[in-house]
Amino acid sequence: MAVVDLPFREGYVSSIIYVSLYVSVIAVALSTLFSLPIAVVMGFSDFPGKQFVKSVINTGMGFPSVVVGLLVLFTVSNQGPLGDLELIFTKEAMIMSQFVLATPPITAISLAAISGVDDNVRDAAHVLGGTRLDVALVVLKEARYGIATAVLAGFGRAISEVGSVLIVGGNITSARGISKTRTLTTAIQLEARQGQYETAMILGAVLVTLVLTVNAIVIRLGDQGVQR
């Protein structure tokens, strides 16, 4: 009964959860499609400037999110290169900022997982007549748990982000209180600032539950992989 008496409108929390998952899942999916090929190329080849690229990726893991938000805001603003698309204060702009934030950890951790596969695995695949593609697939299979951890890390950073999504999304709701660009993190910040601590705590519990659920799924998949 306590939930019924809470000071928020019907559909408020569910719409915030939807926006949070929509933005974060799409951003992480796009980031994974972008990051994994980079990690594979870097893990299987040596080229001039490789260490520099790794340094840039590692630096990106700690890049301030508010700076990312400002850069994306400039990109989608009326004066920016994507101004004609009218993406400012939309979910698409939020996806862009979360994509930028999720890409460095997914790339770095995936690269570490691929590089950490025993050389004997690669040698065995070569001896058995495997092509470079075959060897890459074998290595990726061995590194799949590490790659899953990378995706989890990217998802964790995306869904827990406040600064950049607040800047590019605007924390907007409709007149009926349904979220347009308000996420769990920005809603928690707003509700706490307004003294609605009970609502903020519920939203915080939802956020933690989502992250723990994703974590449990990854650990479960990893345990099944080890057993096989």
Side-chain angles (χ1 to χ4, degrees):
M1 297 297 294
V3 176
V4 176
D5 297 331
L6 285 175
F8 50 73
R9 298 182 182 182
E10 182 180 358
Y12 176 66
V13 174
S14 60
S15 66
I16 291 173
I17 295 172
Y18 169 76
V19 171
S20 297
L21 288 176
Y22 176 84
V23 171
S24 297
V25 169
I26 292 180
V28 171
L30 293 175
S31 179
T32 301
L33 293 174
F34 178 80
S35 301
L36 196 54
I38 295 176
V40 170
V41 170
M42 294 184 64
F44 283 90
S45 61
D46 290 315
F47 53 88
K50 180 178 178 178
Q51 291 303 317
F52 173 75
V53 175
K54 290 179 67 174
S55 298
V56 171
I57 293 171
N58 291 331
T59 302
M61 294 178 66
F63 204 67
S65 62
V66 290
V67 176
V68 172
L70 286 173
L71 293 174
V72 174
L73 181 64
F74 168 74
T75 302
V76 300
S77 66
N78 293 334
Q79 294 77 26
L82 300 182
D84 292 339
L85 298 179
E86 298 182 352
L87 296 175
I88 190 168
F89 300 145
T90 64
K91 298 183 187 70
E92 288 72 23
M94 296 162 66
I95 290 171
M96 290 173 62
S97 69
Q98 290 196 4
F99 170 87
V100 175
L101 291 170
T103 294
I106 293 177
T107 305
I109 299 173
S110 296
L111 176 58
I114 292 170
S115 301
V117 174
D118 197 320
D119 289 338
N120 291 331
V121 173
R122 306 185 188 209
D123 295 338
H126 277 300
V127 170
L128 293 174
T131 63
R132 294 188 65 179
L133 177 60
D134 294 329
V135 174
L137 292 175
V138 169
V139 172
L140 286 175
K141 183 178 180 180
E142 292 295 319
R144 64 189 181 278
Y145 184 49
I147 293 172
T149 302
V151 175
L152 174 63
F155 178 78
R157 177 151 201 204
I159 200 168
S160 62
E161 177 51 36
V162 181
S164 68
V165 295
L166 187 60
I167 291 173
V168 302
N171 201 23
I172 301 170
T173 60
S174 68
R176 296 187 298 110
I178 302 302
S179 172
K180 290 186 176 180
T181 61
R182 182 170 296 177
T183 64
L184 284 167
T185 51
T186 57
I188 290 169
Q189 181 191 53
L190 178 65
E191 298 294 344
R193 191 169 58 190
Q194 293 179 343
Q196 302 289 345
Y197 300 118
E198 190 174 8
T199 304
M201 290 295 293
I202 288 179
L203 294 173
V206 171
L207 177 60
V208 171
T209 300
L210 286 175
V211 174
L212 290 178
T213 300
V214 174
N215 196 3
I217 292 172
V218 172
I219 292 175
R220 178 68 175 174
L221 293 175
D223 290 341
Q224 289 179 350
V226 171
Q227 291 172 1
R228 291 175 185 174

